[in-house]
């Protein structure tokens, strides 16, 4: 018995938790020049017009998660349990973030936008994005599921977002005709991602040790996630390859820069997908649930 | 008034009539069962110094459905409020609110709620509420040929059968406060520590 069927049946949630936190954090990072008032009017315009890319990454994740619902037509009832159910809070935060981001994006097309209003909107949207990442990190904190209520689970999700977000932000900058390699923060963003890779590896190594003895009456974590070390190795190889492509791509320009950053993002996100898959594989409750 | 089940481990023979009666009454598909019967076994054979084989096997069965917990985790995690307790303490699904996300099924330590993918919502034991309101008992209780199951107000069950609610392989009752009373099987009464140390569910592949 392995946890593969569980993870496969929740594959859309694997995709959601891979894409959405990184996409949201990338949105925050890509808008920092506007939030801090450091972007010129031309740069602001480019950033505003290309933010759809990062929103699309987040939206794809959110839409994917909705496809696993049995009856999406009842979805509005989700707002009746905000603050009570962690899942409801997560969905609420996602909707607030995407609504604010959508309105801000539409306003960016105004012929004479008010800069202060725009900046305030960016700051509010970024705050909503961070709240959404936090809500996602704690959405799995269910006391009867020891593998999901482990204290390192939310930390791993934050570390995931810190690894995928900066690489995606570089892609956003490249699409906005910013050339991250020409500014010191381009290297710093990928450096943050590399540091987050190290943090992820440390977190997963500790979790592998601490979750190994966890079991219930039907299965144990080593049975549900066989070869956990191999999954971590695959994650490390994919993420390191993505960062390598990203660092090398910093010197490129134009379309080549966009393509290289897209490849870097795809590799890093593939690595995250592997570990999110193992997260769902590891699901077991106390007692009898697997 | 909180209602619940009593399970008598001294009587159950693991015949699974309760499971089948439930599946038939609720017209469940093969992949969904509201009630499960777990076969819990341990021990084995050994050859003694005199060359004769001897066994120290123990085995018993546990019939378990939703235990309509006093603190149900399924109602706490449900994002739409579809999972709730009625006036009899029965945990039920409001199909008009449920989105079929499956969080209840992932959280329940008794694996009670299931997501019916065809219907698009969660389904679970409702204590045969229609039968109970007609003055009958749940169909699993009615069907048990050994009279190993009972149902009623949990305070009354506790007065009649005792306060015990922990029995392996069920999760520790402190997690969700199940409305369940158990009469422990003989082998557990004889040596509970050994059963906890050596016991395991033997029919894992039968569980749905």
């Amino acid at each position: 018995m392995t946890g593969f069927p569980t993870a496969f049946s929740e594959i859309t949630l694997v995709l959601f938790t891979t894409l959405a936190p990184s996409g949201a954090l990338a949105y925050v990072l890509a808008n920092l020049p506007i939030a801090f008032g450091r972007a010129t009017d031309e740069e602001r315009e480019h950033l505003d017009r290309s933010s759809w890319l990062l929103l699309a990454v987040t939206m794809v994740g959110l839409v994917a998660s909705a496809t696993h619902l049995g009856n999406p037509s009842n979805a509005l009832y989700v707002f009746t349990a905000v603050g009570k159910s962690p899942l409801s809070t997560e969905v609420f935060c996602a909707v607030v973030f995407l609504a604010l981001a959508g309105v801000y994006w539409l306003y960016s097309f105004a012929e004479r936008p008010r800069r202060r209003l725009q900046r305030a909107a960016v700051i509010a949207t970024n705050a909503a994005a961070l709240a959404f990442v936090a809500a996602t990190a704690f959405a799995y904190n269910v006391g009867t599921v020891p593998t999901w209520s482990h204290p390192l689970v939310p930390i791993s999700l934050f570390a995931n977002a810190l690894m995928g977000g900066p690489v995606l932000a570089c892609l956003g900058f490249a699409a906005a005709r910013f050339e991250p390699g020409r500014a010191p923060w381009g290297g710093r963003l990928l450096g943050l991602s590399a540091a987050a890779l190290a943090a992820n590896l440390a977190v997963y190594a500790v979790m592998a040790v601490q979750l190994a003895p966890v079991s219930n009456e039907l299965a144990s974590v080593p049975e549900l996630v066989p070869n956990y070390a191999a999954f971590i190795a695959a994650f490390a190889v994919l993420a390191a390859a993505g960062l390598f492509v990203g660092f090398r791509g910093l010197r490129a320009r134009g379309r080549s820069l966009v393509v290289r950053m897209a490849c870097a993002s795809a590799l890093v996100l593939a690595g995250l997908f592997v570990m999110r898959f193992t997260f769902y594989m590891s699901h077991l409750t106390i007692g009898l649930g697997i | 008034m909180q209602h619940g089940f009593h399970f008598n481990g001294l009587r159950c023979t693991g015949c699974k009539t309760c499971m089948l009666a439930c599946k038939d009454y609720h017209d469940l598909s093969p992949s969904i069962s509201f009630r499960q019967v777990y076969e819990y076994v341990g021990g084995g054979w050994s050859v003694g110094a005199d060359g004769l084989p001897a066994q120290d096997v123990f085995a018993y069965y546990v019939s378990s459905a939703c235990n309509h917990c006093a603190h149900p985790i399924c109602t706490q995690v449900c994002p739409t409020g579809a999972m709730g307790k009625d006036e009899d303490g029965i945990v039920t699904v409001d199909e008009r609110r449920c989105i079929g996300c499956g969080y209840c099924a992932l959280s329940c330590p008794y694996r009670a709620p299931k997501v019916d993918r065809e219907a698009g919502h969660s389904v679970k034991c409702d204590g045969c509420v229609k039968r109970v309101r007609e003055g009958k008992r749940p169909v699993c209780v009615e069907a048990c040929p050994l009279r190993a199951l009972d149902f009623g107000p949990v305070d009354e069950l506790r007065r009649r059968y005792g306060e015990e609610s922990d029995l392996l392989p069920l999760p520790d009752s402190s997690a969700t406060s199940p409305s369940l009373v158990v009469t422990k099987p003989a082998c557990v009464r004889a040596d509970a520590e050994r059963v906890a140390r050596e016991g395991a569910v033997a029919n894992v592949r039968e569980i749905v």
Side-chain angles (χ1 to χ4, degrees):
Chain A
M1 177 186 294
T2 76
F4 191 87
T6 306
F8 196 72
S9 69
E10 306 292 348
I11 194 81
T12 54
L13 294 180
V14 176
L15 195 61
F16 165 65
T17 53
T18 300
L19 296 179
S22 290
L25 194 69
Y27 182 87
V28 171
L29 293 170
N31 281 317
L32 282 182
I34 300 174
F36 284 111
R38 299 279 177 85
T40 64
D41 282 355
E42 189 185 352
E43 289 168 342
R44 181 199 306 266
E45 197 173 323
H46 282 306
L47 284 172
D48 285 344
R49 299 285 161 86
S50 62
S51 65
W52 68 268
L53 180 65
L54 304 177
L55 282 178
V57 171
T58 312
M59 282 290 285
V60 166
L62 197 66
V63 170
S65 75
T67 61
H68 95 291
L69 298 180
N71 192 352
S73 61
N74 288 340
L76 285 178
Y77 285 113
V78 165
F79 299 114
T80 63
V82 176
K84 294 179 196 164
S85 160
L87 192 60
S88 186
T89 306
E90 179 196 27
V91 173
F92 174 73
C93 288
V95 169
V96 169
F97 163 52
L98 291 171
L100 285 173
V103 169
Y104 172 78
W105 186 63
L106 287 174
Y107 186 65
S108 71
F109 289 94
E111 286 187 5
R112 282 184 289 279
R114 296 184 179 184
R115 295 303 180 203
R116 280 188 182 176
L117 179 63
Q118 239 180 344
R119 197 174 156 200
V122 160
I123 292 169
T125 309
N126 282 359
L130 293 176
F132 164 58
V133 175
T136 306
F138 288 97
Y140 300 92
N141 189 18
V142 182
T144 52
V145 186
T147 48
W148 287 6
S149 57
H150 189 282
L152 285 178
V153 165
I155 293 173
S156 73
L157 205 120
F158 282 124
N160 286 180
L162 280 171
M163 194 179 88
V167 184
L168 273 171
C170 283
L171 173 60
F173 283 129
R177 294 184 216 160
F178 258 57
E179 291 181 356
R182 297 188 147 228
W185 42 261
R188 283 180 202 158
L189 275 177
L190 293 183
L192 173 63
S193 194
L197 168 59
N200 271 295
L201 287 172
V203 166
Y204 287 131
V206 173
M207 285 180 74
V209 172
Q210 293 196 344
L211 292 181
V214 175
S215 64
N216 69 7
E217 291 293 340
L218 299 182
S220 66
V221 171
E223 287 170 341
L224 293 173
V225 193
N227 302 317
Y228 192 64
F231 283 108
I232 297 177
F235 160 72
V237 168
L238 285 165
L243 287 173
F244 178 75
V245 172
F247 275 115
R248 289 290 299 268
L250 281 176
R251 294 173 193 162
R253 287 184 169 188
R255 180 166 289 186
S256 170
L257 175 65
V258 175
V259 170
R260 284 162 190 256
M261 288 303 164
C263 289
S265 300
L267 284 165
V268 168
L269 291 174
L272 290 175
F273 184 89
V274 169
M275 293 317 291
R276 293 308 303 168
F277 197 83
T278 63
F279 174 77
Y280 286 93
M281 286 177 79
S282 73
H283 167 267
L284 59 76
T285 71
I286 56 168
L288 296 162
I290 47 171
Chain B
M1 189 187 299
Q2 176 68 57
H3 281 57
F5 284 105
H6 166 246
F7 169 72
N8 191 333
L10 289 170
R11 291 187 178 183
C12 180
T13 59
C15 70
K16 302 181 181 68
T17 305
C18 52
M19 275 178 73
L20 291 176
C22 174
K23 283 175 78 76
D24 183 44
Y25 178 71
H26 292 286
D27 197 20
L28 303 179
S29 67
S31 62
I32 293 176
S33 183
F34 293 167
R35 184 167 279 281
Q36 308 278 348
V37 175
Y38 299 95
E39 186 177 344
Y40 206 66
V41 304
W45 289 90
S46 60
V47 179
D50 54 3
L52 295 174
Q55 61 86 18
D56 60 352
V57 172
F58 64 84
Y60 63 87
Y61 299 90
V62 179
S63 172
S64 172
C66 175
N67 290 306
H68 306 287
C69 304
H71 304 111
I73 191 71
C74 56
T75 63
Q76 294 167 39
V77 301
C78 178
T80 62
M83 197 69 81
K85 283 172 80 78
D86 70 11
E87 63 270 25
D88 290 325
I90 299 298
V91 177
T92 56
V93 185
D94 183 346
E95 296 164 8
R96 294 164 301 174
R97 292 176 80 100
C98 181
I99 53 174
C101 68
Y103 217 15
C104 51
L106 289 169
S107 305
C108 176
Y110 296 94
R111 51 187 309 136
K114 307 282 162 61
V115 179
D116 185 334
R117 290 292 168 198
E118 282 184 27
H121 57 76
S122 290
V123 291
K124 64 182 288 300
C125 162
D126 64 354
C128 289
V129 63
K130 284 182 188 166
R131 287 175 57 89
V132 170
R133 284 182 185 156
E134 291 168 2
K136 299 174 185 171
R137 296 189 298 174
V139 74
C140 55
V141 175
E142 199 80 30
C144 178
L146 277 296
R147 295 292 178 258
L149 289 170
D150 201 355
F151 179 84
V154 74
D155 288 341
E156 198 177 300
L157 294 176
R158 285 177 181 142
R159 271 198 300 277
R160 196 181 308 164
Y161 300 110
E163 297 285 330
E164 289 283 359
S165 55
D166 283 311
L167 177 62
L168 289 171
L170 303 180
D172 193 283
S173 60
S174 62
T176 58
S177 307
S179 302
L180 173 71
V181 179
V182 297
T183 300
K184 295 192 172 185
C187 59
V188 178
R189 293 177 173 203
D191 192 348
E193 283 184 15
R194 181 180 170 232
V195 170
R197 196 172 57 247
E198 298 179 18
V201 176
N203 61 338
V204 174
R205 292 175 66 188
E206 287 180 4
I207 310 297
V208 292

